[in-house]
Amino acid sequence: MRVAVISDIHSNLPALRAVLDDLEQRRPETIWCLGDVVGYGAMPDRCTDLVADRADLCLGGNHDLVVSGELDIEYFTRSAAAAARWTMEVIKPQTREFLRSLKPVGESDEVGLYHASPRDPVWEYVLSIQQARDCLELQAQRVCLIGHSHIACHFSRDSGETEGAFAAAGTVLEMAQGEWLVNPGSVGQPRDGDPRASYLVLDTGDWTASYQRVEYAIDEAAEAILAAGLPPDLAQRLYSGH
């Protein structure tokens, strides 16, 4: 099965549309979303509508859970909290209902899915070998997908040694052997230095995964953030990918 794995859309409609348009050419059999459909950006309703319509599986990220009332907003930074409060005020009831239905953990056949990590599905940023080693010890499935950090990366363990690396566009993983913890990066707010929307295509038949990057209309997303009166840094960081 060929699966498109997307994550951390963050109410960035131009980025989401660009990814979905790119997927029209790749024709995956299913789409999985690892959470954070909303937050930071200024188009929460339209992003949620698209994800609800197109994704066959969707997790709830920390931003989704805060907006739906499942988490306390006090754990958020100033800008994140401002965007969450704004989102709570403007979303339509159907968006709120969809977000309330989401959980930070999922499973599909041989693949585990977590918004953040197997150890802490809501909050942990897995960015080090030690963190990945601990998560690989805990995960029930051989292959797990994670989001949350907004950084395209992967970790693996074979013959007892844990390795990890960032994943540039075009990176292909050969995953038939060993245990894996794989992050597709962020659709709507990358933080790995590449501002293009990031996603992953996973083939569970031959156990390969390929990282994709897509150009999108950053100006449109940034201008919508500023027009909504959200913190300007949320718009500025879209250009740098940090």
Side-chain angles (χ1 to χ4, degrees):
M1 180 171 64
R2 296 181 71 249
V3 184
V5 185
I6 62 177
S7 190
D8 298 282
I9 297 160
H10 286 297
S11 298
N12 187 335
L13 185 64
L16 178 58
R17 281 177 170 165
V19 166
L20 293 175
D21 286 347
D22 197 59
L23 288 176
E24 291 295 324
Q25 304 173 37
R26 302 185 188 279
R27 298 186 177 277
E29 295 165 70
T30 189
I31 299 175
W32 295 344
C33 177
L34 303 181
D36 275 352
V37 180
V38 301
Y40 294 134
M43 306 174 197
D45 284 332
R46 285 182 284 175
C47 286
T48 303
D49 286 345
L50 268 179
V51 170
D53 180 59
R54 300 290 300 276
D56 301 281
L57 181 154
C58 185
L59 304 184
N62 54 308
H63 288 258
D64 305 321
L65 297 174
V66 163
V67 169
S68 68
E70 294 294 316
L71 289 181
D72 195 320
I73 203 168
E74 70 178 13
Y75 297 108
F76 272 24
T77 63
R78 179 191 61 83
S79 293
R85 291 190 183 96
W86 177 86
T87 303
M88 291 178 200
E89 293 172 359
V90 303
I91 56 173
K92 61 188 180 182
Q94 297 95 316
T95 296
R96 195 181 311 278
E97 182 179 355
F98 178 77
L99 297 177
R100 283 178 176 161
S101 74
L102 305 180
K103 305 298 179 186
V105 177
E107 187 175 329
S108 179
D109 297 327
E110 301 173 78
V111 181
L113 302 103
Y114 304 88
H115 172 65
S117 84
R119 178 165 58 181
D120 183 344
V122 177
W123 291 111
E124 183 175 19
Y125 296 91
V126 182
L127 294 172
S128 73
I129 294 294
Q130 181 60 57
Q131 287 176 299
R133 185 182 299 121
D134 294 343
C135 289
L136 289 166
E137 288 290 340
L138 290 172
Q139 66 189 47
Q141 294 84 4
R142 187 179 72 83
V143 175
C144 285
L145 302 172
I146 58 173
H148 190 52
S149 71
H150 299 203
I151 293 176
C153 60
H154 54 88
F155 301 90
S156 62
R157 181 173 64 184
D158 198 7
S159 302
E161 188 70 23
T162 300
E163 299 179 339
F166 297 116
T171 297
V172 177
L173 307 179
E174 301 287 344
M175 302 168 62
Q177 304 295 323
E179 300 159 286
W180 290 81
L181 196 61
V182 180
N183 191 320
S186 172
V187 169
Q189 198 186 90
R191 293 179 185 165
D192 52 10
D194 185 339
R196 295 177 296 171
S198 180
Y199 75 95
L200 184 79
V201 176
L202 170 68
D203 191 323
T204 62
D206 60 9
W207 286 110
T208 60
S210 60
Y211 283 87
Q212 309 296 330
R213 291 301 260 251
V214 183
E215 300 275 359
Y216 76 92
I218 295 178
D219 284 345
E220 183 182 347
E223 288 166 7
I225 288 171
L226 297 175
L230 294 170
D233 61 294
L234 298 179
Q236 294 161 3
R237 71 189 311 174
L238 296 178
Y239 292 95
S240 65
H242 287 109

